[in-house]
Each structure stands twice: as structure tokens, then as C-alpha cells.
Amino acid sequence: MILGCLVALFGFSSIAVADSTRLREVLPTGATVFAESLPGTKLVSLQIIGSARGAQDTKATHGYRHLLEHLMARGFKEDSDKKLEVEGLYLRATTFRDTMQFRVDCYPSQAPIVIAVFQDMLAGLRATPERILKESQIIREEIALISESRKQNREVWTQAYGDARLDPLGDPDLIATATPKSLADLQRTHFCGANLVVTVTGNVKVDEGILLAKRIAASAPTYPAAELNWMEFSTPKAARVSSGEMTTIGIPVGGFQEPKTVARAAAAFALAGLAQGNVSFMPTLKHGLVSVTMLQNEQTRAAFSNSPAAALEVGRLQLRRWMQKQISEPGRDGALRGSLLSFAPFYRPEGFLDGVQELKLAQFTEAWEEFRKLWAN
Amino acid sequence: MGKLSLLVFAGSCVISKAQIYSMSEVLMPDAGTCGLTAVIKTPKPEIWEQAALRVLAGCMRTGSKTYTTRQIDLLPQIVSLPECEVGSGFVLVRLSVAKGQVAQGADILSALLTQPIIDAETVEVAVRSELEGPQNPGSAAWNPVQFTNSNIDLARVEFVWRKYFRPENTFLSAAGPFAKYEAEAAFRSALREWPEKPEKRVFGKAKLEILSNSPTSVGCWTLGSVPETRPQAVANAALASIALGIGKDTTLFRVIREGTRASYRQETMLMPAQTGWASHLGVFRTGSMVVDEIAKDRDLILADIATWTPATLARAQAVLKEGLGGTYPENPFWINERTPLGDGTAAESAFSALNIAISGQLLTLETLTKLSKQTTVEDIQKIAKNLVENGTLNLLPGN
């Protein structure tokens, strides 16, 4: 609902918000274009990010978005990779629960090639029953390859949210039931103006970056934004999954910049730093999850024996370092800022970093205790 | 302490052929980080020694007596934490530091080589990890070895450390934006006393098992060739590897993924072997692995190789150049079955140290890229054809 209001405010007028190195503009179509100049970088990253608002997987369509990603990456003319790779360029395509992202990092002189590829991807979808069947088989193989920690992470989400936050990889049997029409409709929703963010970040002047982004955004399908909403569902719960010596614990979080989210993320990063574990944390508008995967060993036990004050310092450092890494490199910066903008125009990494700095020991201690109790269960 | 006696110059690289240890510098003035690598040669280890070296690497990942990994992680000048990898005939340790921090990096690396944490607890943890064996089909495909007994104890690990971590087995390299000889001086100043040679002991044999199945439902078949040693041959092999299987517009993508059998992962790579870089090819998929089907796939791959054109070569050259530090995120070089060479200064220092260690010659990634421009379509077809026709086939069905 919050996002619906924001779209109402920002979706139908062209508003530019700028500082010295960044510029964000909302186009009449509702699409957001964003450019950032990152000093000292040689590459520029061009990205299209489609919000899943109104296009989320349901139990009946679980994996259609993933299939759409595979098909869109091929391009309408089915020659995206050929055009890019001959230039030494690489298309990254990723489906998350809340967004689908396509990214190419290039030298500034290569931007027109990337723009043409993105325009072609947005122009339509070439999906035949044979291709759908083939890609569903390939996705089945892809799912069979996922790691144990990824499996645990998937299970933690399921425990926390049930069928409300389905894993983006999908169900290959259901994927095979998609039709060319259902996928074309899905693409129009997922990448319509109101759901589209285009980012250009890195070795580019902001005004030039905005122009490049606008050229891509102009290819987006139009669609009535008022019909697009996030799914609503009941309260999630904390989750824990173990197999062998590996355990993943996850705690639901709300919006990216909420103090509780910052505290839980800091606790997870502290644990991962102290116990050499892995954190999974994807910013969300709401209904997110922070999870950490660790081994059942002495190192993990020792990590939990740290005082919250000591752990807070580690968490702060690790979280700041992680965020700095995200926003200092063109590709990561565009991906993060683009997904944040797809949630809300006021979501910024800097807001999160401020939250990390202002995090109180009491807030952190509460989050730390949540993870400690969950681990001990 | 290591003593340097001879300096050799080669283009933008400075090799210090030490009386005791070898040192090379690759000057990269525009880089933002410094990569530091030590390659320790472990010629012809016994089977139990291979297991003990892997356990030793596990111990080293926890840090040294001077710098634990936890402490290193808190240092602001660290760009990437130390990696310890065991390859075919070597142990490689590397880390990256921020520009201007070579001395700090050399000190951390030196401490890891000469004062690793080897105690009962770290050995036990590392042994447990090794006994689990490869956890994914990729690792299992390229190194299907699982150690099946736990007699790798503290004494054995300390023995192999003392035996192999000797200056005469050590090849140091630094790459980054520092002044000529700066890294060499940093290492000379940082290197601590090397461990005493171990007393001769006879240890019982260790057992290992060559896996007959993948650890998951995804099986694979792989092909491996004999190593290429000459720099031009390594460049040719890198391009052949890219044309065969790196990216989408490749032979394996066309024949395997888009062909009759579904497969998500098909790959090619070059890994260091005893005398050079060996080409590998792998196809991963669920379901049965029938030798006749693999033979048909090999024929289809050969037929596709025969269609390669100058455009195939141009694509491979572009991907190689950009994969070594530009717009492409992959390159064909791997350190071992689980760790890609990567890019930037960390890759450059590892690549130069590995080349001097395994083939005795200096080859930088920059030189390799230049050599790749002299390659012809026929050169890469010949290498690819040889791998597919004559490569050693390994089959690891899914379970």
C-alpha cells in the first residue's frame, strides 16, 4: 500500500532529483531512470531492473518469472549474447523474489551496443512451446546444481513465509506449463513503465547517463500502473534449517532502512564475521529475511560467547564494508540502487549506512539475542 | 631469512632469481590494489602427503600466529583475505592489499608461510572437512579424490609443512602499483625464519578413494589434455578454451545446452599441472551417462569446431582480454578445481608465480594477451580437436 501511494505521487510526472554525482528522474511512463558518476572507475554499468510488483510468482505460476528471465536474456532477435560477447561483454541476468535484473558492464564507447541489446530485450518475447519446454528442462538442471547452503536458504524462506515468498528458481514441472501468451503478459507487467528502473553508473557524466537510460526506458511496454500491487500475507516467523554440520538461521525483517532491519543485519554480519559464516540479505520494501549459514563447530560457539558490545563493533564494520563494496563499483552500485529505487524513491544505501552508524547497543543486543536463541534451539 | 643474489629484468616485470627463493614483480601502475602470492612447490608428494597438504591449507585459512584471519579481516588495508589452495604439485597462498600497503601484505603473507597455526584443534577441523570429500559435482569432476581415513594428524601436517615450506620451493610474486624492487624489499624485510627441516620419519599410508559417483544427482563427464608449456601454446589453449566453452556463443552451448540433451552447466578451463597448463572440458547433467551418447556428443563437438571462423577467434580474443580485468567476468584460468584465477593484481601475481614455479619461465597475463593476437583459427581448432579426440575421459554419474 505504501508503494501504491508513492507511485501515485511520483508515477505520472517527470521529477528529477539530483546531487552533484547522481541524478534520478521519473518519466511520464512511470519508469525511473538513474545515473551516477563514480570517480576513478573505467567501466560503466547499464542495467534494467523490473519490479515484481503485480508479477510475483504464485503457487500456480511458480518459476514463470525465472523462465521469463531465460527467454528475455536471449533477446527478441535471439542474438543478445552473440552481439555482446564479440565485444568482450557479458550479460548477467538474475531473478530475485522482488526484482528481475539484467546487467552489462562496458566501456563508455560500447554503451550503444548494450542499449540496442536492452531495447531488443524489452521489445517483446520470442517464446514457443518448444522453447518453453527446452528451457524448463534446463532450469530443472540448474536447480539440481544448487549448493547445500543455497538449499538451506531456500528452506529457511519457506519456513518463514510459507508459500507467500516463493523461491525465484521455481518448479520445473510448473514452468513447463507456461504458455507464450502467459509469458508475454508477464513480461508486459514486469517491465512496464511503472515497474521499470534503468540505471547507468560508473564512468559516465550524470546527464549523459540519464540520456542513455532514457533511450532504454523508451522501449518499455506501457501498462496501467494502478493495477499493480504487492501480495499481502500473514506474519512470518523465524526459521532454522540444519543438515550435516551446516545450519542456517533466518529472521524476517521489514523495510530496508527500518532500525530493526539494520540491527538484525548487523547481528547476522557480526556472526558471519566471527564464525566465518555466510550472510544472505536482500533489501526489500517489506517481508524480507536476514539469514546466516554457519558450521556447528567451536568457532561458531565461540562467536556467540562474544559480548553484544564486541559483536556490535564487528557487525558495524562488516556491514559498512559490505555496503561500501556495493556502492563503490559500477555494477554492484547500479544493481543495489536500482533495486532500492524499484521499492521506493527514498531508499538509498546512504540511509542504511546512517542507520548502521546510529544503531544503539540495546537494539543490536535484542537482535543478537534473537539469533543466539534461534541457534540454540 | 631469504637472501637475494640475482636480479633479472623482463619487460615490465622484474624477476629476482633468488639464491634461496624466487621473487618476481609485475608493475601495474594503474591498478588500485596490490596482489601478493606465494607458490610453494610440492613435487611428487606421497598420497598421505597430499591429504596432509590439504589439511595444512585448511589450517592456514585460520591465519598465522601473528595474524589470525579474524585479525586480518579487521585491517582496513586488506582488500581480500588470504586464500590457501592446494593444486597439482603446489600450494598457493595469496592476498590483496590496498595501494601503498605492500609491506603490510608481505608481512601477513610471510607470517602465514612461516608461522601458520598448526595445532590439534585446527587440524581436527580441517581433517573433518577433508573427510567430507567434494561437496559439489564441479569439485568432484575435476578432482574426484576423497580421503577416507583420519590418520592425518598434527604430526603429519607439521611434517609436510616443514618438508615443503622451504625457501628453495618458494616462488613469490607481487603485482600492483609500486616502485620497482619495492615488493622485493618488502618481502626481504618481512620474511621470518623458515621452519627447521623435519627429522626423517616413516608414516603409515593414507587411504583415498577415487569417487565413482558425483556427490549429488548431477553427474558429469570430463576430458583433460596434457599440459601446454610454451607461452604461445598457453595463449592458444586459452583461446581454444573460450571458443569451446566460456560464454554462450560457444561450441558447448550450441551442441550441449541447445542440443538434444538438457544441461545447465558446460565448461572449459585451464589448470596448472606439473609442467604447464592443462586444458579441461566438462559437461554436467542429471540422468544416466551413457558412453555411446558421450561419443556422439564428442562427434558433434568436433563438427562444430570444424565450423570455427575468424569471428570465433575474434570473440575468443575479446573475451580473453576483457576476462583478465575488463568487462568480462570470467577467464579460462583456474588455480585448482574450486578456485578461479580471477582478475586484477591478485590474478597477475598468482599467474606469474605459478608460471615460474611450474615451467620455470616468466609469463604475465599482459604478455599472454599480446601473444593471443598471433594465434590463428587453425591453432585453436587444433588444440580443441586434440582435447575432444584424445583427451582423457572421466565419467562421474550422478547418484
Side-chain angles (χ1 to χ4, degrees):
Chain A
M1 286 306 108
I2 294 170
L3 188 65
C5 295
L6 295 169
V7 170
L9 281 172
F10 291 94
F12 301 101
S13 59
S14 182
I15 297 170
V17 180
D19 61 27
S20 55
T21 57
R22 295 183 204 116
L23 183 63
R24 169 176 62 80
E25 195 171 331
V26 181
L27 306 179
T29 59
T32 300
V33 289
F34 173 84
E36 178 169 16
S37 177
L38 290 168
T41 54
K42 63 178 180 178
L43 303 182
V44 58
S45 180
L46 286 83
Q47 307 195 31
I48 51 179
I49 294 112
S51 168
R53 190 169 48 104
Q56 286 169 284
D57 278 342
T58 64
K59 271 193 89 172
T61 64
H62 187 195
Y64 280 22
R65 294 176 57 242
H66 188 186
L67 174 61
L68 176 65
E69 173 222 303
H70 275 233
L71 295 173
M72 280 184 69
R74 297 170 66 85
F76 188 62
K77 298 189 190 112
E78 299 194 308
D79 61 358
S80 301
D81 292 306
K82 202 175 183 114
K83 278 182 184 160
L84 292 171
E85 288 179 355
V86 75
E87 301 289 334
L89 301 176
Y90 183 82
L91 173 67
R92 295 168 211 249
T94 317
T95 306
F96 299 102
R97 281 178 176 78
D98 296 331
T99 59
M100 191 186 302
Q101 308 191 353
F102 297 94
R103 161 184 162 190
V104 179
D105 300 343
C106 64
Y107 297 102
S109 63
Q110 295 173 310
I113 300 161
V114 182
I115 289 170
V117 165
F118 280 171
Q119 285 173 334
D120 178 57
M121 283 167 56
L122 291 170
L125 196 68
R126 194 173 296 277
T128 62
E130 295 75 28
R131 174 49 61 184
I132 289 169
L133 182 62
K134 177 72 183 174
E135 290 300 328
S136 73
Q137 290 166 344
I138 290 170
I139 289 173
R140 188 184 297 278
E141 294 289 321
E142 181 182 354
I143 293 169
L145 277 163
I146 65 172
S147 65
E148 189 55 37
S149 61
R150 176 78 173 78
K151 280 181 197 160
Q152 285 200 357
N153 200 263
R154 188 164 64 159
E155 182 56 30
V156 162
W157 273 91
T158 304
Q159 276 189 21
Y161 285 96
D163 292 333
R165 298 286 271 157
L166 292 166
D167 186 272
L169 283 168
D171 175 339
D173 291 334
L174 280 174
I175 289 170
T177 68
T179 62
K181 184 180 180 313
S182 64
L183 292 169
D185 289 345
L186 182 64
Q187 187 195 26
R188 275 195 293 276
T189 309
H190 217 311
F191 289 90
C192 70
N195 268 347
L196 181 69
V197 179
V198 181
T199 64
V200 179
T201 51
N203 183 10
V204 67
K205 289 180 182 162
V206 286
D207 50 347
E208 290 170 6
I210 285 290
L211 288 176
L212 298 176
K214 282 181 177 174
R215 284 174 57 192
I216 297 168
S219 301
T222 53
Y223 206 76
E227 293 178 14
L228 304 176
N229 287 304
W230 292 104
M231 291 195 303
E232 292 295 330
F233 40 84
S234 57
T235 313
K237 58 185 182 190
R240 184 182 198 278
V241 177
S242 290
S243 59
E245 295 191 351
M246 189 191 292
T247 295
T248 300
I249 49 177
I251 297 182
V253 293
F256 175 60
Q257 288 175 201
E258 290 174 19
K260 262 198 167 176
T261 302
V262 176
R264 286 167 173 167
F269 272 81
L271 275 172
L274 291 163
Q276 292 192 312
N278 290 315
V279 178
S280 171
F281 172 48
M282 187 73 197
T284 48
L285 179 68
K286 51 184 178 175
H287 306 312
L289 189 85
V290 176
S291 67
V292 55
T293 302
M294 296 177 290
L295 295 175
Q296 295 270 10
N297 61 19
E298 192 50 47
Q299 199 174 8
T300 304
R301 281 184 282 279
F304 277 109
S305 68
N306 278 274
S307 70
L312 171 59
E313 286 317 302
V314 176
R316 268 205 184 114
L317 178 82
Q318 298 284 355
L319 208 45
R320 261 195 235 116
R321 189 182 281 179
W322 172 74
M323 187 57 84
Q324 288 296 346
K325 192 173 177 183
Q326 304 307 309
I327 61 178
S328 60
E329 187 265 319
R332 288 198 177 101
D333 183 64
L336 177 63
R337 290 185 189 277
S339 62
L340 293 178
L341 286 170
S342 78
F343 300 135
F346 57 84
Y347 264 15
R348 297 163 65 240
E350 289 74 16
F352 186 82
L353 281 170
D354 289 345
V356 174
Q357 191 58 36
E358 291 158 9
L359 183 59
K360 302 278 191 301
L361 179 59
Q363 293 169 315
F364 179 84
T365 304
E366 192 181 327
W368 181 256
E369 283 302 307
E370 286 177 320
F371 276 106
R372 199 179 59 74
K373 283 178 188 159
L374 195 54
W375 183 263
N377 276 342
Chain B
M1 170 132 345
K3 207 163 124 189
L4 299 169
S5 65
L6 178 66
L7 299 171
V8 182
F9 298 86
S12 63
C13 304
V14 183
I15 304 180
S16 311
K17 179 69 181 170
Q19 185 183 357
I20 301 181
Y21 60 83
S22 167
M23 167 82 209
S24 65
E25 288 183 342
V26 185
L27 307 182
M28 301 170 71
D30 297 333
T33 62
C34 302
L36 305 169
T37 297
V39 170
I40 311 295
K41 275 186 91 165
T42 57
K44 297 179 184 168
E46 293 180 39
I47 286 169
W48 76 262
E49 288 183 329
Q50 288 178 39
L53 285 166
R54 282 157 69 151
V55 173
L56 173 61
C59 293
M60 291 175 73
R61 287 184 197 114
T62 66
S64 66
K65 288 169 186 164
T66 309
Y67 300 97
T68 64
T69 300
R70 172 91 193 81
Q71 288 168 327
I72 297 169
D73 194 23
L74 296 175
L75 295 172
Q77 54 271 59
I78 296 300
V79 175
S80 66
L81 287 171
E83 296 173 86
C84 304
E85 298 296 338
V86 179
S88 176
F90 65 87
V91 176
L92 181 145
V93 189
R94 69 173 172 178
L95 81 160
S96 297
V97 292
K99 187 175 178 176
Q101 301 294 334
V102 172
Q104 172 81 78
D107 198 47
I108 293 170
L109 196 57
S110 161
L112 263 178
L113 300 177
T114 56
Q115 304 175 336
I117 297 171
I118 306 174
D119 58 29
E121 192 186 321
T122 50
V123 167
E124 190 195 327
V125 171
V127 164
R128 262 209 317 264
S129 169
E130 282 307 317
L131 287 174
E132 283 180 8
Q135 297 298 296
N136 62 69
S139 295
W142 306 118
N143 192 1
V145 174
Q146 180 171 0
F147 296 95
T148 53
N149 67 351
S150 56
N151 67 359
I152 304 303
D153 56 12
L154 181 60
R156 287 173 188 253
V157 176
E158 188 157 330
F159 182 90
V160 293
W161 170 59
R162 290 183 182 283
K163 177 177 176 182
Y164 290 112
F165 280 59
R166 310 286 315 150
E168 60 271 24
N169 291 335
T170 302
F171 298 80
L172 301 171
S173 179
F178 42 75
K180 205 181 272 188
Y181 303 132
E182 185 183 342
E184 180 260 305
F187 272 117
R188 187 146 36 94
S189 155
L191 276 170
R192 296 154 168 82
E193 290 295 326
W194 293 88
E196 295 283 327
K197 274 190 178 173
E199 289 179 13
K200 281 202 170 174
R201 280 186 64 176
V202 177
F203 290 99
K205 288 183 177 173
K207 292 175 191 161
L208 61 75
E209 181 187 338
I210 303 297
L211 296 177
S212 55
N213 278 92
S214 162
T216 75
S217 63
V218 179
C220 60
W221 59 269
T222 63
L223 296 169
S225 75
V226 294
E228 303 286 356
T229 304
R230 287 182 308 108
Q232 184 64 56
V234 175
N236 296 351
L239 294 172
S241 184
I242 292 167
L244 266 175
I246 294 184
K248 304 271 174 55
D249 191 14
T250 62
T251 292
L252 289 187
F253 195 90
R254 285 187 291 272
V255 171
I256 305 293
R257 176 160 164 158
E258 299 286 285
T260 51
R261 279 176 276 283
S263 157
Y264 182 73
R265 179 174 171 182
Q266 322 83 36
E267 63 193 17
T268 50
M269 58 168 68
L270 298 179
M271 275 195 284
Q274 293 285 352
T275 56
W277 293 86
S279 296
H280 299 270
L281 174 159
V283 173
F284 299 77
R285 59 184 168 83
T286 57
S288 61
M289 292 270 170
V290 182
V291 174
D292 285 352
E293 285 179 3
I294 294 170
K296 281 180 193 163
D297 283 346
R298 289 169 82 168
D299 286 343
L300 291 169
I301 292 169
L302 286 169
D304 191 90
I305 291 168
T307 68
W308 287 0
T309 65
T312 313
L313 177 62
R315 174 195 168 278
Q317 286 165 328
V319 168
L320 179 65
K321 178 172 173 281
E322 296 304 330
L324 296 173
T327 55
Y328 206 85
E330 295 173 40
N331 66 59
F333 295 100
W334 285 64
I335 291 167
N336 61 13
E337 70 279 2
R338 59 181 219 170
T339 308
L341 183 72
D343 60 14
T345 55
E348 190 65 83
S349 68
F351 190 71
S352 54
L354 279 167
N355 280 305
I356 296 172
I358 63 180
S359 61
Q361 57 194 348
L362 180 69
L363 176 60
T364 66
L365 291 169
E366 189 186 349
T367 310
L368 184 97
T369 309
K370 283 180 186 159
L371 289 171
S372 75
K373 289 174 186 161
Q374 297 166 27
T375 303
T376 65
V377 179
E378 291 72 29
D379 289 334
I380 61 173
Q381 281 177 314
K382 188 177 162 191
I383 286 178
K385 198 165 167 254
N386 182 48
L387 172 63
V388 178
E389 276 183 341
N390 306 319
T392 308
L393 174 68
N394 278 317
L395 200 58
L396 207 61
N399 63 32

